[in-house]
Every structure is written in structure tokens, then in C-alpha cells.
Amino acid sequence: MEFSSWLALAAICAMGAISPGPSLAVVMRNTVRGGQGHGVCTALGHGLGVGLYALITALGLALLITRNPMLFEVIRYGGAAFLAWLGIKALLARPGGGDTRIGEHPVRGRQGAFEGFMVACLNPQLAIFFVALFSQFVRADTGWQQGGVMMLTAGGIDALWYVLVALLLSRGPVLAWLKAKSGLIDKLSGLVLLALAVKVVL
């Protein structure tokens, strides 16, 4: 993968991780209810789930190219349309629209890591997002090495962000900061998604 392509991939993954949603809510809830350690475990579990999704998606798309190139092209342009839709949706989103409520739920032992992993694995939108995103980067010769790069990029960025949230939340008002910046985060992620979709079409 070219460095410029990797930067685009990393930027999308970062924007996706930062955007408020159910994953952020779980990490925040577990940090507040179970302490810093449980929040970090939740973050690492979520990053692992995201990374596995990324690897499976990358290798599956590479196999699809070799067996049915026409179908892959349909998925590729459909993925571009989906990314554009996500971009427009993000640009039009109201500030503070993410669900960041913290529920009453005690966290014990390895439960935080398990919950973080399952939130990622049982999120169908994550699968659709990776198919749409990776269809712009995967080629027929994509193998375990490039798939591993995609896995480490997506899972690593996701884990690092949520670990940072867990560490800061246990010391300061991260929730208030995220809510205050949610509008800017939406706008930036929307612009990046639209730019990638336009690049594919052109």
C-alpha cells in the first residue's frame, strides 16, 4: 500500500473512532463504573474486534476480486456511494447527536474487555463500513501482509483512541469536551469521507 493511501485509510479510521456513538458510550460507562483499568480493557477489547473485522474484510475482498471482478466493481462503487452518504450525514448531523449516556452497569474482571470486543463484533454497521472503505484500497494481490497492515491500522487507531478516552476520563472532563467538539468532529469526518468517495469516482 502506498503511503498516501495508508494516510487516507488512517484518517478515515481515526475519524470513525473519534465520532461519538455506542462504542464510546460503553468505554465511558465502564471507565466511570469500573475504574481506569476496566475502561482500558474495554478499549483494547474493542480495538481487537475492530482489527479482526478489518482483516477478514480485506482478505475477503481480495478473494472476491480474483473470482468475480465485475461484482467487486459493483461493491467498489457502491462503497463509494455509501461513504458519500456517510459524509453527507456527518455534515448535516446536529452537534452532540451521539449517544454518550452512561448506564448503570457494574464492571467486574474481564467483563470490560469482553463487552468492548462484542460491541465491535456485533455491530453490523462496522462490517458495512469496512466493506465500503476497504473496497477503495484492496487489490487482487492483497495478501496477509497488506491485510495485516489494514488490521493494525484500524484496530490500533481504534484501541489507542479509546484507551486515551479511558485514561483521560478517569482524570478529567472528557465527556464535556467530546460533546463540545462533536460538531467539528462530524464536519471533519464528513469532508474526509466525501473526498474519498469523489476520488474513487474520478
Side-chain angles (χ1 to χ4, degrees), residues 23-163:
S23 299
L24 178 62
V26 170
V27 172
M28 289 169 51
R29 179 196 66 190
N30 286 359
T31 302
V32 171
R33 299 292 298 166
Q36 184 182 98
H38 290 302
V40 170
C41 286
T42 304
L44 294 176
H46 192 272
L48 177 61
V50 168
L52 287 177
Y53 247 134
L55 179 62
I56 293 170
T57 303
L59 296 180
L61 287 173
L63 182 63
L64 181 61
I65 295 174
T66 60
R67 295 192 175 183
N68 198 328
M70 184 63 69
L71 178 58
F72 176 78
E73 285 300 309
V74 172
I75 292 176
R76 180 168 174 262
Y77 283 99
F82 180 73
L83 292 176
W85 178 77
L86 286 178
I88 294 171
K89 184 178 178 182
L91 288 173
L92 298 178
R94 295 180 178 179
D99 184 6
T100 55
R101 290 173 296 178
I102 302 174
E104 295 293 325
H105 188 79
V107 184
R108 299 184 181 91
R110 300 172 183 168
Q111 185 177 349
F114 176 75
E115 286 187 358
F117 182 82
M118 294 307 291
V119 164
C121 287
L122 298 180
N123 185 355
Q125 290 183 338
L126 186 61
I128 296 171
F129 176 76
F130 275 140
V131 169
L133 176 60
F134 285 177
S135 63
Q136 320 307 318
F137 298 98
V138 170
R139 298 186 177 90
D141 59 350
T142 295
W144 286 98
Q145 184 176 4
Q146 186 168 338
V149 170
M150 292 181 172
M151 176 186 73
L152 291 175
T153 299
I157 288 174
D158 183 90
L160 283 174
W161 166 248
Y162 287 122
V163 165

